[in-house]
């Protein structure tokens, strides 16, 4: 699925309705039961204000296989982020524990002086991993006040973090599959603004 901004993935205290799980259950009645009644089909999560591609399992067998593939790092999860400041290295690995070992691979796509567009690949999947890691290296995600960005900067509605590409082995056919999701409008407009500022 391509998750929109502001949508909580599964019901929780204070967010019982309007979640991605509610939307999925309204469309299909055959989600895996591994996550229990609160999280049917949910193989991995995205933060409420993180947008983009996400895997959902329609049955228990698929859920188990996909979960194992994520644990084995066979599922590729790539994100785009606009971060504050200039990331000097073209490529880097951020290795900073978040409870347990946490690894994020970073690749610079464009530099704008005071901001940088980066591609990030999750090697592990900890809560808020990318947001914490970018803050840890002093390059917080733009629009993310929780970890050092500024609310509303560059006209952003929330953090400029987007799950851009997901690649995995289909649990039944074993075919290698890849899906990409377009960033939301405010992300694209922020990039246009940065590019036009650079031309001046």
């Amino acid at each position: 699925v391509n998750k929109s901004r502001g949508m909580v993935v599964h019901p929780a205290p204070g967010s019982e309705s309007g979640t991605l799980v509610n939307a999925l259950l309204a469309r299909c009645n055959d989600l895996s039961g591994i996550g229990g009644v609160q999280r049917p089909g949910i193989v991995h999560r995205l933060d409420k204000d993180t947008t983009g591609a996400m895997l959902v399992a329609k049955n228990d067998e698929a859920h188990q296989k996909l979960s194992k593939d994520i644990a084995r790092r066979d599922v590729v999860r790539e994100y785009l982020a606009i971060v504050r400041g200039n990331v000097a290295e073209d490529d880097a690995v951020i290795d900073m524990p978040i409870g347990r070992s946490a690894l994020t691979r970073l690749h610079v796509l464009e530099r704008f002086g005071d901001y940088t567009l980066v591609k990030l690949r999750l090697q592990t999947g900890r809560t808020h991993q990318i947001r914490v890691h970018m803050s840890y290296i002093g390059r917080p995600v733009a629009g993310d006040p929780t970890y050092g960005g500024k609310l509303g900067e560059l006209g952003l509605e929330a953090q400029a973090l987007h799950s851009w590409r997901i690649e995995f082995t289909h649990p039944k056919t074993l075919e290698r599959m890849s899906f990409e999701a377009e960033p939301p409008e405010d992300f694209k407009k922020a990039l246009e603004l940065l590019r036009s500022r650079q031309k001046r």
Side-chain angles (χ1 to χ4, degrees), residues 44 53 55 75-77 164-168 177-179:
H44 66 106
L55 273 175
V75 175
V76 175
R77 289 176 289 166
W164 169 65
R165 191 173 82 90
I166 198 153
E167 183 185 309
F168 60 97
M177 307 187 86
S178 178
F179 296 91

Side-chain angles (χ1 to χ4, degrees), residues 94-111:
I94 305 160
D95 182 358
M96 174 246 178
I98 303 171
R100 299 174 281 157
S101 164
L103 283 174
T104 306
R105 293 189 178 277
L106 175 150
H107 174 71
V108 170
L109 296 173
E110 281 183 77
R111 289 186 177 90

Side-chain angles (χ1 to χ4, degrees), residues 17-200:
S17 62
T19 69
L20 178 66
V21 163
N22 297 130
L24 288 166
L25 289 172
R27 285 190 65 118
C28 54
N29 52 15
D30 53 350
L31 293 173
S32 85
I34 288 174
V37 292
Q38 294 288 302
R39 303 179 187 185
I42 302 303
V43 180
H44 66 106
R45 289 182 297 175
L46 292 178
D47 296 338
K48 177 185 172 188
D49 286 324
T50 300
T51 54
M54 196 180 144
L55 273 175
V56 176
K58 292 179 78 177
N59 59 60
D60 291 357
E61 186 188 358
H63 197 138
Q64 286 169 331
K65 282 186 177 171
L66 290 168
S67 293
K68 277 182 191 163
D69 285 350
I70 285 174
R72 285 202 310 252
R73 302 181 185 177
D74 187 47
V75 175
V76 175
R77 289 176 289 166
E78 288 186 336
Y79 292 72
L80 296 177
I82 301 169
V83 299
R84 305 189 84 204
N86 182 46
V87 178
E89 309 87 351
D90 288 342
D91 293 280
V93 176
I94 305 160
D95 182 358
M96 174 246 178
I98 303 171
R100 299 174 281 157
S101 164
L103 283 174
T104 306
R105 293 189 178 277
L106 175 150
H107 174 71
V108 170
L109 296 173
E110 281 183 77
R111 289 186 177 90
F112 307 102
D114 51 348
Y115 290 93
T116 310
L117 174 66
V118 293
K119 181 173 75 176
L120 301 143
R121 181 181 286 200
L122 284 181
Q123 298 294 106
T124 52
R126 308 285 172 252
T127 302
H128 300 180
Q129 179 171 319
I130 288 173
R131 296 164 65 195
V132 170
H133 273 179
M134 295 316 295
S135 181
Y136 171 72
I137 64 164
R139 298 290 173 260
V141 176
D144 182 8
T146 307
Y147 294 104
K150 283 193 180 152
L151 195 63
E153 64 187 308
L154 301 174
L156 291 162
E157 292 168 23
Q159 68 246 17
L161 181 60
H162 175 71
S163 173
W164 169 65
R165 191 173 82 90
I166 198 153
E167 183 185 309
F168 60 97
T169 302
H170 192 288
K172 237 188 178 80
T173 66
L174 304 182
E175 180 189 351
R176 195 69 182 164
M177 307 187 86
S178 178
F179 296 91
E180 291 176 12
E182 279 273 306
E185 279 310 303
D186 67 324
F187 191 112
K188 289 195 260 193
K189 282 179 179 163
L191 275 182
E192 282 170 21
L193 176 69
L194 289 167
R195 285 169 184 150
S196 66
R197 267 185 8 194
Q198 206 171 34
K199 283 176 187 167
R200 281 184 215 148

